[in-house]
């Protein structure tokens, strides 16, 4: 199957769908998505989408909170675009009919989440992503100029004379096709599946990062992986996210003895930034040898089940009453701040190739993303990507920061691993608490595994399992290398052997470029 279009969009989350709607104003659009159209991180988003629309809020205040959470590494110009374009782009969603919760006066009801100084999170109860997906998908389906192909996984970028001309893709196990376009947008989302414990669905394997890397695109800040502090921690049950909005509405973290331990670690208590809360939970579990819990028992039970019906159902499924019981929680990999390096218009270092949403790194989140800024990023930078893709000419992005040339490891000295082995290693050695010894051993193991995957045919093969494993190993390999090289702790990147932030040496973004 060979497809041609003016614009090609890979991925059907908020960034891809928002971009496609704008691109269709200027030409024919093809969207490839590797599973069902609604299967994406976007579809599972709970807490909401942040935007400075409240009477007590302003883009400047939103920028200040974003930059504070980003721990000295946010790119100010990117933050500026996010907070200034954000209110307009979110109002557009409301105009299109987004069924966000409303206050009695009819205005959007604004939720509170960690490290936001005011209430600024629009939400559709606790299933905001499902509502945004429904809305965007309805508009995309009604647009004759957009063709969507599901179960179509992009495997490799097509590069001619140094520019991107489209992708190769597989459908099912055998059907290999090409899609060719003047401009290609990577909107393939994050890579939570690289870790054994994650909030992310199965599609989030970092395909866009691996494909871009192999094509020689610049990757940035891959050491910065956000671990959400609170997922349901029940043996055998999925790691279901327990939204930060729960704590925003008054839920407390307590230890086995019922002590609210967060106030010991940070004056912001349960609403401290995510990295702080996640590490505090791990330390409390280590200190006490017993689990940590979320409790909402002091809140009005009717309010809890009305405001959080999806979470209440998931807890009930695991045998807990959200409004009454203590719910055991632990951290899990949630979001990738780093990714394919882009400028403010989503241009990558390869002409013709753009990236937006979680796959991209504009630097907007720095070392640690502020809650509910990711849906906003997908919306704002999806729209900005489309504007740039429609414009001509198309130079490659100009980027700053330190650049490191890397090469694939040499001869295979190990067997191809299982996906579980890769994810388990990443969780144990490249997770929330990192140290040189563990990172070095993990990097050496990933070197051997990557060479073995390459020798077996790697991501270009039709064997779905090998493709998935090769992608996980490739993305894990970049994350481990980046984590090993940053000799400091900042935001979500914590090194037990370098526990302090080191602005003198590390107040910078570091990029990798792969030479094959
Ligand atoms: P996604 O929504 O992940 O979409 C990626 C798309 O690319 C998918 O359709 C996928 O199938 C497709 N794809 C991947 N690889 C390929 C390939 N090789 N070929 C073709 N298609 C491919 N953020 C917030 O701001 N607020 C929240 O409340 C919030 N809650 C969250 C809750 C959960 C459980 C999770 C997992 C994340 C949450 N986030 C939240 C983060 C946020 O949802 C994501 O960062 C954001 O939705 C990413 O959007 P995206 O469009 O970049 O990618
Ligand atoms: C959550 O609801 O806690 C997730 C919000 C986010 O990832 O921004």
């Amino acid at each position: 199957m060979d497809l041609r279009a003016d614009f090609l969009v890979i991925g059907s989350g908020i960034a891809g769908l928002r971009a496609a709607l704008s691109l269709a104003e200027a030409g024919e659009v093809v969207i490839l998505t590797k599973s069902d159209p609604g299967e994406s991180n976007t579809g599972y988003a709970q807490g909401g989408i942040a935007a400075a629309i409240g009477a007590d809020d302003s883009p400047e205040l939103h920028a200040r909170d974003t930059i504070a959470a980003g721990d000295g590494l946010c790119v100010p110009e990117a933050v500026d675009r996010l907070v200034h374009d954000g209110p307009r782009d979110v109002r557009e969603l409301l105009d299109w009919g987004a069924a966000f919760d409303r206050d009695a006066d009819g205005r959007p009801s604004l939720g509170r989440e960690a490290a936001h100084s005011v209430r600024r999170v629009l939400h559709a109860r606790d299933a905001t992503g499902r509502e945004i997906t429904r809305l965007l998908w309805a508009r995309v389906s009604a647009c004759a100029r957009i063709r969507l192909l599901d179960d179509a996984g992009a495997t490799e970028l097509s590069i001619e004379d140094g520019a991107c001309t489209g992708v190769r893709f597989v459908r099912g196990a055998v059907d290999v096709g090409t899609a060719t376009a003047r401009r290609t947008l990577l909107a393939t989302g994050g890579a939570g599946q690289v870790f054994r414990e994650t909030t992310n669905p199965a599609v989030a394997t970092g395909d866009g990062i691996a494909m871009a890397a192999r094509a020689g695109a610049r990757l940035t800040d891959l050491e910065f992986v956000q671990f959400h502090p609170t997922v349901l921690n029940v043996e055998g049950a999925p790691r279901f996210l327990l939204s930060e909005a729960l704590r925003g509405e008054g839920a407390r973290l307590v230890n086995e003895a019922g002590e609210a331990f967060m106030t010991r670690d940070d004056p912001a208590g349960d609403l401290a930034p995510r990295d702080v809360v996640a590490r505090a939970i791990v330390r409390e579990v280590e200190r006490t040898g017993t689990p940590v819990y979320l409790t909402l028992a002091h809140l009005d039970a009717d309010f809890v089940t009305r405001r959080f019906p999806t979470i209440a159902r998931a807890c009930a499924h695991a045998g807990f009453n959200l409004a009454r019981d203590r719910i055991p929680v632990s951290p899990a990999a949630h979001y990738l701040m780093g990714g394919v390096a882009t400028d403010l218009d989503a241009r990558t270092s390869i002409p013709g190739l753009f990236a937006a949403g979680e796959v991209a790194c504009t630097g907007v989140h720095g070392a640690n993303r502020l809650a509910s800024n990711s849906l906003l990023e997908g919306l704002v930078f999806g729209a900005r990507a489309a504007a740039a893709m429609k414009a001509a000419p198309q130079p490659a992005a100009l980027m700053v920061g330190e650049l490191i040339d890397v090469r694939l490891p040499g001869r295979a000295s190990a067997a191809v691993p299982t996906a579980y082995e890769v994810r388990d290693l990443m969780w144990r050695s490249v997770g929330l608490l990192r140290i040189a010894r563990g990172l070095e051993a993990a990097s050496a193991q990933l070197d051997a595994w990557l060479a073995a995957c390459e020798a077996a045919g790697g991501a270009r093969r039709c064997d779905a399992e090998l493709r998935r494993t090769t992608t996980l190993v490739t993305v894990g390999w970049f994350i481990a290398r980046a984590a090993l090289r940053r000799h400091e702790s900042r935001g979500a990147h914590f090194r037990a052997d370098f526990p302090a932030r080191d602005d003198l040496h590390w107040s910078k973004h570091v990029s990798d470029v792969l030479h094959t």
Side-chain angles (χ1 to χ4, degrees):
M1 176 186 273
D2 294 314
L3 302 171
R4 266 177 197 283
D6 297 302
F7 305 108
L8 180 59
V9 175
I10 318 294
S12 59
I14 189 168
L17 294 179
R18 179 62 189 83
L21 287 171
S22 278
L23 290 169
E25 292 163 6
E28 300 292 326
V29 183
V30 164
I31 304 178
L32 300 183
T33 192
K34 77 173 178 185
S35 179
D36 294 335
E39 197 55 18
S40 61
N41 276 0
T42 300
Y44 291 90
Q46 294 184 358
I49 183 163
I53 64 165
D56 57 349
D57 205 357
S58 67
E60 289 68 32
L61 193 53
H62 190 183
R64 208 183 311 153
D65 291 346
T66 301
I67 288 169
D71 209 2
L73 220 59
C74 289
V75 170
E77 297 79 11
V79 175
D80 195 58
R81 290 287 34 101
L82 181 83
V83 299
H84 282 98
D85 290 6
R88 181 198 64 203
D89 291 358
V90 165
R91 283 200 184 93
E92 185 178 54
L93 288 186
L94 290 165
D95 291 345
W96 288 350
F100 292 151
D101 294 358
R102 304 260 178 183
D103 286 335
D105 61 6
R107 286 192 215 157
S109 158
L110 299 175
R112 177 112 196 234
E113 289 184 24
H116 287 274
S117 51
V118 296
R119 288 185 165 266
R120 66 162 68 96
V121 181
L122 294 93
H123 53 273
R125 293 197 278 178
D126 57 355
T128 310
R130 198 160 64 212
E131 172 56 15
I132 290 176
T133 305
R134 179 200 67 75
L135 180 75
L136 294 179
W137 179 235
R139 294 185 78 85
V140 162
S141 312
C143 184
R145 280 176 131 181
I146 303 178
R147 174 174 179 197
L148 183 132
L149 217 62
D150 59 6
D151 189 28
T155 55
E156 195 178 3
L157 296 171
S158 310
I159 305 291
E160 282 174 30
D161 298 328
C164 180
T165 56
V167 296
R168 293 185 66 75
F169 65 96
V170 296
R171 288 197 93 188
V174 285
D175 181 8
V176 180
T178 57
T180 309
R182 289 193 286 126
R183 318 263 188 265
T184 298
L185 175 67
L186 281 176
T188 46
Q193 286 287 326
V194 170
F195 295 87
R196 190 189 71 210
E197 310 294 336
T198 182
T199 62
N200 290 192
V203 290
T205 44
D207 300 15
I209 292 164
M211 284 189 285
R214 281 166 199 284
R218 187 169 174 151
L219 308 180
T220 294
D221 289 354
L222 282 176
E223 61 271 44
F224 295 110
V225 178
Q226 182 169 77
F227 296 87
H228 197 290
T230 57
V231 302
L232 187 60
N233 180 20
V234 176
E235 186 78 33
R239 294 293 181 247
F240 190 83
L241 180 74
L242 300 174
S243 174
E244 204 160 78
L246 293 164
R247 278 174 283 132
E249 297 293 357
R252 283 189 210 131
L253 282 162
V254 293
N255 62 18
E256 187 73 40
E259 291 159 354
F261 60 91
M262 266 318 296
T263 36
R264 254 195 344 242
D265 280 323
D266 196 289
D270 292 313
L271 289 178
R274 275 182 192 174
D275 58 309
V276 174
V277 180
R279 285 193 295 273
I281 289 176
V282 170
R283 290 199 185 107
E284 192 64 9
V285 169
E286 271 173 18
R287 190 183 74 80
T288 62
T290 53
V292 155
Y293 304 89
L294 258 184
T295 177
L296 291 81
H298 53 289
L299 303 178
D300 177 65
D302 278 350
F303 166 74
V304 169
T305 41
R306 248 185 300 112
R307 172 75 172 83
F308 301 108
T310 317
I311 298 173
R313 261 197 310 279
C315 288
H317 202 68
F320 295 94
N321 179 331
L322 176 67
R324 289 280 157 258
D325 296 334
R326 295 189 314 181
I327 317 289
V329 294
S330 60
H334 183 60
Y335 182 85
L336 189 58
M337 270 74 70
V340 180
T342 68
D343 66 8
L344 300 186
D345 294 313
R347 292 189 183 92
T348 72
S349 56
I350 297 182
L353 180 68
F354 296 73
E358 195 170 338
V359 66
C361 180
T362 57
V364 76
H365 306 302
N368 187 33
R369 172 174 67 86
L370 186 67
S372 290
N373 264 359
S374 174
L375 289 174
L376 187 67
E377 176 196 24
L379 191 68
V380 165
F381 287 94
R384 292 184 68 81
M389 288 167 79
K390 289 190 275 188
Q394 295 293 325
L398 286 175
M399 287 161 195
V400 291
E402 190 173 320
L403 195 60
I404 297 187
D405 285 337
V406 290
R407 293 191 184 275
L408 286 173
R411 280 191 320 117
S413 58
V416 172
T418 62
Y420 180 85
E421 284 176 307
V422 181
R423 302 176 67 216
D424 186 50
L425 176 73
M426 289 299 292
W427 177 250
R428 286 186 288 104
S429 302
V430 197
L432 199 51
L433 305 179
R434 299 165 170 173
I435 192 160
R437 215 174 38 250
L439 291 169
E440 278 159 6
S443 291
Q445 180 65 80
L446 289 158
D447 266 5
W449 281 343
L450 186 51
C453 289
E454 290 298 312
R460 289 171 296 278
R461 283 272 295 273
C462 268
D463 172 346
E465 198 47 46
L466 177 60
R467 238 185 15 249
R468 176 177 162 85
T469 305
T470 304
T471 299
L472 295 176
V473 173
T474 307
V475 178
W477 185 73
F478 276 109
I479 294 175
R481 293 170 64 97
L484 181 58
R485 127 182 115 205
R486 186 172 281 272
H487 287 182
E488 65 158 355
S489 292
R490 180 189 293 271
H493 170 68
F494 184 81
R495 289 279 304 251
D497 44 352
F498 297 100
R501 176 170 143 177
D502 175 0
D503 279 341
L504 189 61
H505 301 101
W506 288 103
S507 187
K508 63 182 177 189
H509 302 268
V510 186
S511 304
D512 294 284
V513 173
L514 184 66
H515 292 272
T516 45

